[in-house]
């Protein structure tokens, strides 16, 4: 791959490349008060592989004033070569910037776990241009207009990518319509609830009565409810006799949260989503099941509900597609999450469902903590804090493992950009099309790298990530947010120029 400083071209004839690069390299450093590593507000990005809604083209994307003003194929691009600034990425892929609808940045209140500055720097380095932050793990949890404003104020001027916010659906506001409406009118993009204990004291679990009330309010605003779908079941697998098992064993933890928990929750949810059908009392509301792990009975239930007209979607996460229970070493609590990573056969079924379109999209569920909470010395899976730290790596992880299943660039753009943007109501993001915000990621699908101690990682606590030590393909070369180059060749723009997104 040709280094970035030699890719900025005034034209396309090879005889002019060296001279143009020398001249334009004078502008490579960001200026004070500027958000971009590239100084022009009107320019073209060219590539042989641009992923558009109508397919992959060889051509160029014209960007002006932060928006995409034209997308042209190669023959048209050449006609404009002399009249515009052009950055040619040759064989690299140009894709819409990733939209991650499920991330915990824990800010304000638990910035030592991650925080807006570090989390959004990691996102920018990973090709993510938009994050939707979850309402819990920060303190206080985002369950009211006032707590949402705390979140918005904490993010202001401290984010490298755009950040939106889910509000929380909890028993207290679920039964108080005016409180819930106030939270949505303050700008929450939708709501999130748990059907099992969340682990956070000020974010209690909900039942189907609360969820039904939430969907009724959401129907007025045409916004989604995201649900952590596990219900604790009193069965033999989910309880362990005192002292009978080694808590360092991953299988011990795995057996405490069997797939029947997901199945039970989804069965209950689908009795409520009957109301979201056309003509139903909650028409306009939408239910989204987060981080699906069980690819057997739970997925069958979701598929049947979709066919019956329920307004339902589902996501899974790269860690469920990359890892299997059989591979996890006892004591390695980096891999603890909920629902748990299941067996290899389940992983194959998840991939099949994703490839067939039964799983709608992907998210990171980036859920970091301070290293002490992972209990690395004890390796105790039952007491360690759960959550996979992954934000910077989701694109190369999806690509590296997905190549074994024949994934396409168009599928990547759908799972990581278009469908997540649609879920969050961000109609101005998610595709490379005229009129859309110029959010792009440029990446080299053939570049191989190892996430070792020398690889730049922008998470606050790199050692808690389950991906450290992985060999991956697909290196992010540049990230463009609203036309600004916020990341290129390992360098971030000097300013934090992400915007808060309120509905």
């Amino acid at each position: 791959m040709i280094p970035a400083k030699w890719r900025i071209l005034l034209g396309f004839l090879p005889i002019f490349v060296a001279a143009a690069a020398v001249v334009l390299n004078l502008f490579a450093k960001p200026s004070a008060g500027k958000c971009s590593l590239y100084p022009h507000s009107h320019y073209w990005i060219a590539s042989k592989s641009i992923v558009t809604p109508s397919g992959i083209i060889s051509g160029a994307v014209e960007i002006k004033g932060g928006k995409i003003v034209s997308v042209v194929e190669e023959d048209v691009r050449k006609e404009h070569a002399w009249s515009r600034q052009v950055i040619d990425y040759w064989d690299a892929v140009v894709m819409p910037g990733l939209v991650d609808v499920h991330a915990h940045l824990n800010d304000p209140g638990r910035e030592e776990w991650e925080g807006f500055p570090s989390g959004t720097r990691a996102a920018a380095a990973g090709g993510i241009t938009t994050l939707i932050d979850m309402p819990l793990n920060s303190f206080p949890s985002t369950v009211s207009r006032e707590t949402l404003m705390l979140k918005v104020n904490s993010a202001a001027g401290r984010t490298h990518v755009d950040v939106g916010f889910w509000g929380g659906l909890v028993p207290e506001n679920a039964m108080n319509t005016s409180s819930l409406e106030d939270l949505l009118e303050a700008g929450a993009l939708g709501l999130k609830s748990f059907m099992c204990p969340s682990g956070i004291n000020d974010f209690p679990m909900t039942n189907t009565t609360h969820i039904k009330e939430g969907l009724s309010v959401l129907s007025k605003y045409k916004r989604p409810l995201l649900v952590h779908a596990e219900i604790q079941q009193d069965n033999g697998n989910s309880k362990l006799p005192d002292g009978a098992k080694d808590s360092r064993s991953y299988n011990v933890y795995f057996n405490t949260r069997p797939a029947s928990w997901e199945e039970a929750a989804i069965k209950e949810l689908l009795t409520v989503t009957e109301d979201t059908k056309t003509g139903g009392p909650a028409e306009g509301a939408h239910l989204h099941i987060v981080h699906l792990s069980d690819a057997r009975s739970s997925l069958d239930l979701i598929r049947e509900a979709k066919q019956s007209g329920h307004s339902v979607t589902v996501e899974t996460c790269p860690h469920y597609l990359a890892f299997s229970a059989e591979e996890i070493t006892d004591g390695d609590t980096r891999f603890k999450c909920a629902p748990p990573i299941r067996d290899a056969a389940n992983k194959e079924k998840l991939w099949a469902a994703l490839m067939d379109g039964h799983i709608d999209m992907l998210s990171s569920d980036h859920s970091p903590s301070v290293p002490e909470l992972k209990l690395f010395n004890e390796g105790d899976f039952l007491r360690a804090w759960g959550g996979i730290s992954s934000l910077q790596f989701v694109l190369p992880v999806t690509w590296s493992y997905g190549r074994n299943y024949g994934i396409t660039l168009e599928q990547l753009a759908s799972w990581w950009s278009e469908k997540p943007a649609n879920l969050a109501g961000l109609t101005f993001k998610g595709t490379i099309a005229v009129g859309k915000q110029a959010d792009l990621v440029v990446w080299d699908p053939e570049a191989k790298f190892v996430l070792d101690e020398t690889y730049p990682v922008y998470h606050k606590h790199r050692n808690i990530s389950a991906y450290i030590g992985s060999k991956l393909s697909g290196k992010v070369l540049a990230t463009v947010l609203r036309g600004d180059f916020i990341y290129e060749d390992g360098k971030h723009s000097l300013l934090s120029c992400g915007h808060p997104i309120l509905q």
Side-chain angles (χ1 to χ4, degrees):
M1 182 57 58
I2 299 172
K5 65 182 179 181
W6 299 116
R7 283 189 272 104
I8 302 175
L9 308 178
L10 285 172
F12 291 92
L13 296 180
I15 191 170
F16 295 107
V17 169
V22 170
V23 173
L24 293 177
N25 191 43
L26 296 173
F27 301 101
K29 295 180 180 179
S31 303
K34 296 296 180 80
C35 291
S36 184
L37 294 166
Y38 185 68
H40 301 286
S41 63
H42 187 193
Y43 62 93
W44 300 70
I45 288 180
S47 168
K48 296 178 183 178
S49 298
I50 300 173
V51 185
T52 76
S54 57
I56 298 173
I57 67 167
S58 175
V61 181
E62 183 183 7
I63 297 168
K64 184 177 182 180
K67 291 187 176 182
I68 297 170
V69 296
S70 70
V71 182
V72 300
E73 299 203 36
E74 182 69 20
D75 54 346
V76 179
R77 180 190 73 153
K78 289 180 178 178
E79 296 175 11
H80 295 273
W82 298 105
S83 59
R84 297 287 185 269
Q85 296 289 339
V86 180
I87 308 174
D88 198 333
Y89 281 99
W90 304 95
D91 295 324
V93 173
V94 177
M95 229 169 64
L98 277 61
V99 178
D100 187 357
V101 295
H102 192 151
H104 299 266
L105 296 186
N106 314 321
D107 198 343
R110 292 190 175 94
E111 296 96 325
E112 70 275 16
W113 291 21
E114 183 69 273
F116 287 122
S118 59
T120 57
R121 276 173 65 85
I128 298 169
T129 51
T130 306
L131 288 173
I132 315 299
D133 191 35
M134 282 292 167
L136 72 162
N137 295 7
S138 55
F139 183 79
S141 293
T142 309
V143 295
S144 65
R145 173 185 286 271
E146 293 74 22
T147 51
L148 175 60
M149 288 303 102
L150 288 175
K151 179 83 76 171
V152 173
N153 292 336
S154 183
R158 301 174 67 230
T159 68
H160 292 265
V161 302
D162 288 352
V163 179
F165 312 93
W166 300 121
L169 178 72
V170 294
E172 182 178 0
N173 63 18
M175 308 311 291
N176 184 338
T177 299
S178 62
S179 175
L180 209 52
E181 289 180 342
D182 200 33
L183 173 59
L184 292 166
E185 288 175 4
L189 300 181
L191 302 174
K192 163 74 181 296
S193 74
F194 272 69
M195 298 183 76
C196 61
S198 71
I200 298 295
N201 291 336
D202 68 345
F203 204 92
M205 61 185 281
T206 54
N207 58 34
T208 49
T209 299
H210 305 128
I211 289 169
K212 187 179 182 73
E213 292 294 326
L215 286 173
S216 177
V217 174
L218 285 162
S219 67
K220 304 173 188 176
Y221 294 86
K222 305 292 190 289
R223 299 181 205 173
L225 172 63
L226 287 70
V227 179
H228 180 127
E230 285 185 291
I231 290 180
Q232 290 178 309
Q233 301 289 289
D234 292 329
N235 55 41
N237 286 333
S238 61
K239 289 189 174 182
L240 300 169
D242 291 341
K245 298 290 184 181
D246 177 9
S247 61
R248 287 179 52 84
S249 167
Y250 179 74
N251 282 336
V252 167
Y253 169 66
F254 173 81
N255 287 323
T256 65
R257 298 184 90 110
S260 60
W261 284 28
E262 290 186 83
E263 181 182 0
I266 290 167
K267 279 182 178 177
E268 287 203 17
L269 281 173
L270 297 182
T271 65
V272 178
T273 57
E274 284 278 350
D275 291 351
T276 67
K277 288 182 175 181
T278 302
E283 181 184 358
H286 177 80
L287 187 126
H288 179 72
I289 297 167
V290 300
H291 53 44
L292 183 77
S293 172
D294 172 36
R296 297 180 174 93
S297 299
S298 299
L299 194 58
D300 290 339
L301 290 168
I302 296 167
R303 186 185 297 117
E304 291 169 7
K306 288 180 177 181
Q307 292 171 349
S308 298
H310 296 224
S311 185
V312 177
T313 49
V314 60
E315 72 186 43
T316 192
C317 306
H319 45 273
Y320 298 123
L321 300 168
F323 305 124
S324 59
E326 294 90 338
E327 302 168 323
I328 299 174
T329 304
D330 288 351
D332 194 349
T333 54
R334 296 178 304 157
F335 291 87
K336 179 179 178 180
C337 59
I341 296 166
R342 304 197 187 279
D343 57 72
N346 184 80
K347 181 178 76 171
E348 295 301 312
K349 288 182 179 294
L350 278 178
W351 270 113
L354 182 64
M355 295 297 290
D356 290 342
H358 299 304
I359 294 174
D360 299 280
M361 67 192 76
L362 297 174
S363 75
S364 71
D365 190 13
H366 177 65
S367 187
S369 70
V370 290
E372 293 78 17
L373 290 178
K374 301 299 281 187
L375 302 180
F376 290 136
N377 290 336
E378 298 97 318
D380 188 329
F381 272 103
L382 298 183
R383 294 192 302 114
W385 185 263
I388 303 293
S389 181
S390 60
L391 198 56
Q392 186 177 331
F393 317 131
V394 292
L395 176 56
V397 166
T398 307
W399 177 248
S400 299
Y401 288 90
R403 293 178 88 170
N404 297 326
Y405 300 88
I407 68 170
T408 66
L409 297 175
E410 294 97 324
Q411 286 173 315
L412 271 180
S414 174
W415 300 333
W416 273 114
S417 302
E418 184 174 11
K419 288 181 178 176
N422 289 340
L423 176 72
L426 307 180
T427 56
F428 50 93
K429 292 176 177 278
T431 58
I432 296 178
V434 173
K436 298 282 188 174
Q437 193 166 286
D439 292 358
L440 306 172
V441 56
V442 183
W443 60 288
D444 181 355
E446 301 305 322
K448 295 179 171 56
F449 59 96
V450 179
L451 288 179
D452 57 18
E453 290 303 315
T454 67
Y455 192 85
V457 175
Y458 300 99
H459 298 173
K460 185 164 283 188
H461 305 292
R462 64 178 291 149
N463 65 315
I464 69 172
S465 177
Y467 292 106
I468 297 300
S470 298
K471 297 179 180 179
L472 301 173
S473 297
K475 188 173 183 179
V476 173
L477 304 177
T479 305
V480 179
L481 175 66
R482 283 178 274 102
D484 290 333
F485 274 76
I486 59 170
Y487 175 85
E488 188 179 31
D489 285 348
K491 298 176 183 176
H492 288 82
S493 59
L494 292 181
L495 300 182
S496 302
C497 293
H499 288 184
I501 303 171
L502 297 173
Q503 186 64 268

